[in-house]
Amino acid sequence: MNKLTRIFVSLGLIAALGGSALTLAAVEDQIRNRIKPTGNVNIAGEQGQQMQQQASGPRGGEEVYADACAACHDSGAAGAPKLGDTGAWSDRISKGKETLYSHAINGYNAMPAKGGCSDCSDKEIENAVDYLVAEGE
Ligand code: HEC
């Protein structure tokens, strides 16, 4: 082999090796993509809490009430109709549940949207309204 042929051969070898290394890397990427787990698990932080909530379903009315509504509706603060005060609830109940749901979710005069519970789902607020209504009937 003369010098020139040797250079060509080694160039060829380098190209072949380099080429196959590249294809190998690409195949590895494909495999990694194919076997990677689908969903990302986020254990800490807000997302984790949301996932926990989703996993355990919406909280019941009494629990949500105690967390987010009792501060006003137990004491009647700011003119809030008190839990179990049938006189204060009868007119409100006659507006219909859809209206009460919407007022509790979106706010109504001094009643803050969702009672200020920004991480409560609409369904949880509706459960709390059901609870207030059941106690006020
Ligand atoms: C910061 C005090 C406060 C908190 C917390 C609060 N409320 Fe109220 N809520 C009020 C007040 C005040 C009213 C009366 C508003 C009015 O009639 O002008 C009211 C009224 C209501 C009404 C009647 C609305 C209507 O149309 O008559 C519902 C239903 C209600 N609240 C549900 C809830 C629920 C459910 C929660 C908890 C998720 C909650 N509230 C938390 C103050 C509060």
Side-chain angles (χ1 to χ4, degrees):
M1 241 191 257
N2 66 28
K3 205 174 168 192
L4 202 64
T5 330
R6 227 180 291 149
I7 289 171
F8 274 125
V9 168
S10 34
L11 272 179
L13 266 175
I14 288 166
L17 280 175
S20 58
L22 266 180
T23 13
L24 259 182
V27 169
E28 269 177 44
D29 269 359
Q30 280 178 0
I31 292 172
R32 238 181 257 128
N33 266 330
R34 237 179 285 146
I35 63 176
K36 80 173 175 201
T38 47
N40 287 322
V41 179
N42 185 341
I43 297 161
E46 207 178 316
Q47 269 192 344
Q49 274 178 12
Q50 279 172 2
M51 284 173 67
Q52 265 182 0
Q53 268 185 16
Q54 279 163 10
S56 58
R59 290 176 297 161
E62 193 169 351
E63 191 186 340
V64 175
Y65 175 83
D67 274 359
C69 324
C72 296
H73 286 275
D74 266 0
S75 62
K82 284 203 215 175
L83 177 75
D85 181 345
T86 48
W89 278 100
S90 61
D91 280 356
R92 298 182 189 270
I93 291 170
S94 63
K95 293 191 238 183
K97 264 201 184 159
E98 290 306 319
T99 305
L100 297 182
Y101 287 160
S102 146
H103 286 171
I105 291 167
N106 304 310
Y108 180 62
N109 299 325
M111 159 76 207
K114 290 187 167 183
C117 178
S118 52
D119 65 347
C120 288
S121 68
D122 287 2
K123 180 67 190 148
E124 288 175 329
I125 300 298
E126 291 176 7
N127 290 346
V129 172
D130 287 346
Y131 174 69
L132 272 162
V133 166
E135 296 286 312
E137 270 171 344

